[in-house]
Amino acid sequence: MSSWDPPKLTFLITGCSSGFGLALTRLALAHSHTVIATARNPSALPPALVAEVESHASNGSRFLALDVDSPTRAAELVEQLECRDDCVAIDVLVNNAGWSVHGPAESFRDDEVRRQFETVFFGPYRLARAVVPHMRRRRRGMIVNIGSGAGVDGRESMAVYAAAKAALDGLMRVMAKELAPFNIRSLTVQLGGFDTNFTRALTRTAEPFPDDYAGSMVGKVLGSIEGANFQPDGDHRKAARAIYEVIVGEGVGRGKEAERVLPLGRDMGKMMDRVADATKHSMDTFRDVCDNVYLEKK
């Protein structure tokens, strides 16, 4: 275990009904950690799934309702856990809940953009704001955001989702610096394509696509990732184990406690290389311009 961790951790994980949230929940439970697993409506989940979490109730694990879009529920839930119920000390917050809306960037309605940002940016930010004071007081903790390649270099049709993911990444780059003196770690997991239900839940903007986009890359990219059309390369269970091990400082995460970004997926690796090459190209092209727009000393 890494030096900041107590022997057993308490995880607060959002979006635990499937995919990465469920896989991380099962891994943490299998290693005897406490998991506060959340979902928008736990009563609608398969009883076997709820029973799986509740079979570990002796260490405080449970399923709780959490709609991350609610402007008040995050603070209420953390207050309930930390200060009222069992004085639960949240060691690791995993912001995993999400969905995506797609279409040409010019076509999104304001309400669609706001809903996307509520789930992908404001919800995780509210949870981080709620847990940080308690982590800061204890001088330990970790905030994990399950990000996406869309926020690094999004494809056509992903503009609003990419913007929300990039906003959260930008927030955490600064927040990580501010929280480091208090022994609070952050980790942004940049995911490529994985075998989860995420693409089956994506939606299109309600606005009709302008005729000029007929046959364009917007429609082609969107069509390739909708439902059964999506052919992912990544195994989410392998990726979830890597995330878990980086969180606890074991296995592939041993000695990497200071790392703030975890790219996962062969497609994500290629994307990160392309972005690095593009950044280098920009600096090679404009270095002289960049360095020669300074104020002249009088």
Side-chain angles (χ1 to χ4, degrees):
M1 303 289 285
S2 56
S3 59
W4 67 274
D5 291 331
K8 294 301 175 186
L9 301 169
T10 295
F11 289 72
L12 172 60
I13 307 176
T14 68
C16 292
S17 59
S18 64
F20 280 92
L22 177 56
L24 286 169
T25 295
R26 285 173 166 160
L27 279 168
L29 291 174
H31 288 83
S32 302
H33 299 292
T34 299
V35 179
I36 310 300
T38 71
R40 191 183 299 268
N41 183 12
S43 64
L45 296 173
L49 179 55
V50 177
E52 184 176 349
V53 174
E54 292 181 345
S55 67
H56 295 79
S58 60
N59 73 0
S61 296
R62 72 201 85 162
F63 247 119
L64 294 177
L66 174 61
D67 180 354
V68 298
D69 291 1
S70 167
T72 59
R73 179 56 179 155
E76 293 170 353
L77 180 64
V78 172
E79 176 75 10
Q80 170 190 339
L81 292 168
E82 289 269 3
C83 304
R84 293 205 303 272
D85 282 4
D86 306 315
C87 295
V88 173
I90 299 168
D91 298 300
V92 182
L93 166 66
V94 181
N95 284 312
N96 169 72
W99 62 280
S100 61
V101 60
H102 294 251
E106 67 175 85
S107 298
F108 292 101
R109 301 185 323 202
D110 282 359
D111 64 306
E112 293 172 328
V113 177
R114 290 191 176 98
R115 283 197 306 115
Q116 183 73 98
F117 268 76
E118 280 294 341
T119 304
V120 175
F121 177 77
F122 286 108
Y125 184 27
R126 283 189 286 260
L127 278 164
R129 289 205 313 261
V131 301
V132 159
H134 303 286
M135 292 179 175
R136 178 163 42 77
R137 186 181 69 250
R138 290 187 289 267
R139 293 297 194 266
R140 72 169 189 268
M142 186 170 189
I143 299 170
V144 181
N145 293 322
I146 305 300
S148 165
V152 177
D153 188 22
R155 292 296 309 277
E156 296 86 347
S157 83
M158 301 179 182
V160 171
Y161 179 63
K165 283 294 187 182
L168 186 61
D169 290 352
L171 172 80
M172 287 312 303
R173 288 178 189 276
V174 176
M175 206 169 184
K177 297 172 186 175
E178 296 174 347
L179 298 180
F182 310 118
N183 202 32
I184 300 174
R185 298 168 54 198
S186 76
L187 182 69
T188 295
V189 182
Q190 300 290 20
L191 295 178
F194 282 88
D195 58 336
T196 68
N197 293 326
F198 187 80
T199 58
R200 292 181 176 85
L202 66 81
T203 62
R204 292 181 177 228
T205 174
E207 292 296 315
F209 289 13
D211 291 342
D212 283 345
Y213 287 101
S216 73
M217 286 302 295
V218 172
K220 291 177 181 178
V221 170
L222 179 50
S224 71
I225 61 176
E226 283 185 306
N229 294 333
F230 184 54
Q231 299 297 320
D233 180 63
D235 183 331
H236 80 279
R237 292 177 181 83
K238 290 180 180 178
R241 179 165 293 279
I243 296 168
Y244 171 79
E245 290 181 354
V246 172
I247 290 172
V248 301
E250 297 176 348
V252 300
R254 191 178 303 279
K256 299 182 177 66
E257 292 81 0
E259 298 303 317
R260 295 178 181 175
V261 178
L262 172 61
L264 290 174
R266 293 189 293 192
D267 53 347
M268 190 67 228
K270 293 175 182 177
M271 180 185 294
M272 296 290 269
D273 289 339
R274 287 198 305 270
V275 170
D277 289 344
T279 301
K280 183 178 184 304
H281 171 78
S282 296
M283 292 312 300
D284 289 345
T285 303
F286 290 110
R287 170 63 72 180
D288 290 344
V289 178
C290 176
D291 292 345
N292 285 283
V293 291
Y294 53 85
L295 285 168
E296 299 286 349
K297 292 182 180 180
K298 295 180 180 179

